[in-house]
Amino acid sequence: MITVSLNEANFEYDIHSLVKAFYGKEDVKVFADKEKIKELEEEKTPLFHMEVSYISREESEEPEDKIRFEIWKPEAEGSKKQAETEVSADFSNRKETKNRLKQSLYQMLKEYTGQELPWGTLTGIRPTKIPMAMLEEGKSKEEIRRYMKETYYASDIKTDLSIDIAERELELLKKIDYENGYSLYIGIPFCPSICLYCSFSSSPIGMWKDKVEEYLDALEKEIAYTAESCKDKVLNTIYIGGGTPTTLTAEQLDRLLTKVEESFDFSGLLEYTVEAGRPDSITREKLAVLRKHDISRISINPQTMKQETLDFIGRHHTVQQTVESFNMARELGFDNINMDLIVGLPEERIEDVRETMEQIKKLNPDNLTVHSLAIKRAAKLRMFRDEHADMHIYNSWETIDMTAEYAKEMGMEPYYLYRQKNMAGNFENVGYATPGKAGIYNILIMEEKQSIMALGAGASTKYVLDHGKRIERVENVKDIKNYLERIDEMIDRKRKMEEKLWH
């Protein structure tokens, strides 16, 4: 544990994220409450304690605002100061203050730990947004590189990666109608089982089998409303995710896809994705239904090709089922198949990931999405930490780089990138694709360039306004029972928001 005490509540998230980036395996507690910090330290001795002081020129004799950082190490005879630094600021300029705070804290932690972070002070989830915005402003690559290095201390490798991806994204997004276009997300919140690391809005299908038809009834009401409210707009992409959409029976899938086809104008549609997801939910009959409805892109997600890991994390499918499902999809004519992998799964070392990549290479998918494990608050790995206390998570930049090399060998290039909170290490998630097979919806959800109408339990509609400068959200309730009972309320929330924004 690391404790951080602030003399006032400000920039807590930025401080937490940066300290956590250096100390991925430690709990980092940040509070502007000395009593709370004291209680925590009485329960457990911290690795170190940090003091952050905001010193206002108006309340001190200083000629300018300042931020002071101090690191104290607990020792037998008391605490000993091990590092300190101070930076000038202008508290009236919040953005500049945040940058200076993070730069100063980064430099202190870099010196204290002896390590550098490839992404520097960048702790947000969308690093490519910065080079993308600068490219749109007409800035040169050299200007972007200089800005990324001077402002965020980002490494040359990561800066070049983010610029390359931003260029590809901009090229792909040329076909997208930002102003009058929209995308559609439909969530199916059921899974064959819940994985140990998962925190998505999903429930075991076994518990809800008798309610699936009722769920589709509610979803059809939301589909009908959305089709009417967006009838004067251009639908660019559709993404049916979850959960696992293929937990639906073939008949239920056909019902859903037929309703979507009958409700929306597909004349501007560039991409139609269905996450087939879990191999244990895929059948030839279901894949045939997807083909019948001209689904252009599917995912078959092994996460790993190591059977012991699959068993441990609660994926109730075999490696062989993954191979069979993939080959079946190819036989049926699917020519744009994505596979999701997770690196940093419990007890998996780089040799295990290499073996997974070898097996994926033989299958030769069109897309590959490599996730670094992020253990979120709701995941069982956090909830049952004591139960899994002896569990080891191995991940490294060497592993990340190796997956990138394999993607390159398969003729793929990176086309989108994002990061997550609570990631086990300061890593990233990268989507790779062969030419012409990049997932457009994935870029849209990350770069926030277009409104996304989201339907289903736990879905979050995102209204993108003023070329992405302003975003409004309307969230559906996560609980399936609540969604079924309150579907009219969910629709009414959207209606009120759209009246405010569009009329």
Side-chain angles (χ1 to χ4, degrees):
M1 178 180 74
I2 294 167
T3 54
V4 183
S5 178
L6 286 65
N7 69 336
E8 67 176 66
N10 226 334
F11 301 108
E12 298 101 310
Y13 173 77
D14 302 289
I15 293 166
H16 178 277
S17 300
L18 198 47
V19 175
K20 187 75 177 170
F22 278 93
Y23 292 92
K25 293 181 180 177
E26 294 289 334
D27 277 339
V28 180
K29 306 292 186 182
V30 182
F31 292 103
D33 182 339
K34 290 192 182 295
E35 286 304 311
K36 178 71 175 171
I37 294 285
K38 188 179 173 185
E39 284 174 25
L40 288 166
E41 292 178 349
E42 284 171 356
E43 289 174 18
K44 183 181 178 182
T45 303
L47 180 67
F48 65 79
H49 171 86
M50 184 185 294
E51 292 279 343
V52 181
S53 305
Y54 299 104
I55 304 162
S56 167
R57 63 178 178 268
E58 294 170 3
E59 297 169 11
S60 69
E61 295 179 2
E62 298 284 351
E64 56 191 349
D65 300 325
K66 288 187 177 180
I67 306 167
R68 183 178 297 142
F69 300 94
E70 298 170 316
I71 290 177
W72 296 81
K73 185 96 170 174
E75 295 184 357
E77 64 274 12
S79 288
K80 183 180 177 183
K81 190 187 288 188
Q82 295 213 316
E84 67 178 315
T85 192
E86 191 174 86
V87 63
S88 299
D90 175 3
F91 293 164
S92 66
N93 185 334
R94 187 169 177 83
K95 184 179 178 183
E96 182 59 28
T97 297
K98 181 168 87 166
N99 279 340
R100 289 200 171 199
L101 175 146
K102 292 180 79 174
Q103 288 168 350
S104 182
L105 178 56
Y106 177 85
Q107 293 287 18
M108 182 174 75
L109 289 172
K110 173 186 158 185
E111 205 170 301
Y112 186 69
T113 62
Q115 64 169 311
E116 293 186 54
L117 303 179
W119 286 106
T121 68
L122 280 171
T123 53
I125 66 170
R126 300 180 180 93
T128 53
K129 281 195 109 159
I130 299 161
M132 180 177 269
M134 294 182 76
L135 285 169
E136 288 180 315
E137 290 167 8
K139 296 283 194 295
S140 70
K141 288 186 189 181
E142 199 45 55
E143 285 176 299
I144 297 169
R145 286 191 188 98
R146 191 163 55 249
Y147 179 77
M148 294 286 278
K149 185 182 280 288
E150 291 174 359
T151 308
Y152 303 109
Y153 305 144
S155 70
D156 293 341
I157 290 172
K158 293 304 173 188
T159 295
D160 286 344
L161 175 64
S162 63
I163 293 171
D164 288 349
I165 288 174
E167 285 183 317
R168 285 193 193 101
E169 287 180 337
L170 285 170
E171 186 60 35
L172 284 163
L173 294 179
K174 280 180 181 175
K175 312 173 205 170
I176 295 295
D177 186 338
Y178 290 164
E179 295 308 303
N180 198 46
Y182 73 104
S183 287
L184 182 68
Y185 173 84
I186 298 174
I188 306 298
F190 310 113
C191 272
S193 62
I194 305 304
C195 297
L196 200 60
Y197 52 78
C198 183
S199 65
F200 285 111
S201 298
S202 55
S203 301
I205 186 67
M207 287 174 55
W208 293 94
K209 231 167 195 165
D210 297 340
K211 293 285 185 182
V212 174
E213 293 293 337
E214 192 178 339
Y215 182 80
L216 291 176
D217 290 342
L219 206 48
E220 287 188 352
K221 287 180 82 169
E222 211 174 357
I223 288 169
Y225 167 74
T226 305
E228 177 60 27
S229 71
C230 296
K231 65 184 178 185
D232 296 325
K233 296 184 177 295
V234 179
L235 178 58
N236 286 148
T237 75
I238 303 173
Y239 192 102
I240 301 180
T244 306
T246 43
T247 50
L248 300 181
T249 65
E251 292 75 22
Q252 289 164 342
L253 267 175
D254 188 50
R255 174 188 168 182
L256 173 62
L257 298 176
T258 299
K259 178 66 177 177
V260 172
E261 271 176 21
E262 290 173 348
S263 303
F264 295 94
D265 177 2
F266 281 17
S267 61
L269 195 65
L270 301 170
E271 177 182 276
Y272 195 167
T273 301
V274 174
E275 270 194 37
R278 300 273 289 266
D280 49 336
S281 70
I282 297 170
T283 65
R284 184 174 287 274
E285 192 182 9
K286 292 177 189 179
L287 289 173
V289 168
L290 300 183
R291 282 294 292 152
K292 182 180 94 171
H293 289 279
D294 294 324
I295 302 306
S296 60
R297 184 174 180 273
I298 64 170
S299 280
I300 296 173
N301 301 332
Q303 312 302 27
T304 175
M305 298 296 264
K306 184 179 178 181
Q307 191 61 51
E308 293 89 336
T309 307
L310 291 171
D311 296 339
F312 177 73
I313 63 177
R315 301 281 287 192
H316 295 170
H317 66 82
T318 64
V319 170
Q320 187 56 31
Q321 278 179 305
T322 300
V323 174
E324 289 168 358
S325 298
F326 187 93
N327 290 335
M328 195 190 306
R330 282 289 197 232
E331 285 168 25
L332 287 168
F334 286 98
D335 63 358
N336 194 351
I337 304 176
N338 172 70
M339 300 189 92
D340 276 11
L341 299 178
I342 298 179
V343 292
L345 286 169
E347 303 300 337
E348 285 213 349
R349 297 177 183 267
I350 190 167
E351 296 80 11
D352 299 309
V353 179
R354 184 177 285 109
E355 177 55 30
T356 288
M357 296 305 299
E358 283 291 339
Q359 294 192 53
I360 295 299
K361 188 178 173 182
K362 286 176 189 170
L363 292 172
N364 198 26
D366 310 283
N367 287 201
L368 181 69
T369 310
V370 181
H371 301 267
S372 290
L373 180 67
I375 305 170
K376 298 184 182 178
R377 293 187 188 281
K380 292 180 191 174
L381 279 178
R382 288 183 70 92
M383 291 164 64
F384 305 122
R385 185 172 291 176
D386 291 342
E387 188 181 326
H388 302 293
D390 60 345
M391 176 189 70
H392 294 100
I393 290 176
Y394 306 95
N395 202 3
S396 66
W397 286 110
E398 187 184 357
T399 306
I400 302 294
D401 292 344
M402 182 189 71
T403 60
E405 278 302 311
Y406 269 96
K408 192 175 179 181
E409 287 172 21
M410 288 186 272
M412 297 183 188
E413 293 181 325
Y415 75 93
Y416 89 114
L417 179 153
Y418 71 103
R419 300 164 79 198
Q420 288 168 274
K421 296 176 189 176
N422 304 312
M423 195 166 270
N426 190 31
F427 302 116
E428 64 219 25
N429 303 323
V430 184
Y432 301 92
T434 53
K437 305 294 184 180
I440 301 168
Y441 175 86
N442 289 334
I443 299 171
L444 290 170
I445 196 78
M446 280 302 125
E447 300 303 339
E448 298 180 321
K449 293 286 189 182
Q450 186 188 61
S451 295
I452 294 176
M453 306 302 295
L455 287 53
S460 178
T461 292
K462 195 185 290 186
Y463 299 95
V464 178
L465 309 157
D466 303 329
H467 302 282
K469 291 175 187 167
R470 181 179 156 217
I471 293 168
E472 298 283 350
R473 289 175 172 82
V474 174
E475 296 185 354
N476 284 354
V477 292
K478 291 183 180 180
D479 181 77
I480 297 168
K481 185 172 180 291
N482 273 340
Y483 175 77
L484 298 179
E485 291 170 354
R486 297 168 60 187
I487 182 59
D488 293 334
E489 179 191 329
M490 300 301 100
I491 291 169
D492 200 45
R493 281 184 191 179
K494 289 179 182 173
R495 181 180 290 112
K496 285 176 180 170
M497 178 62 78
E498 286 157 19
E499 284 172 358
K500 186 172 89 172
L501 299 177
W502 293 349
H503 305 296

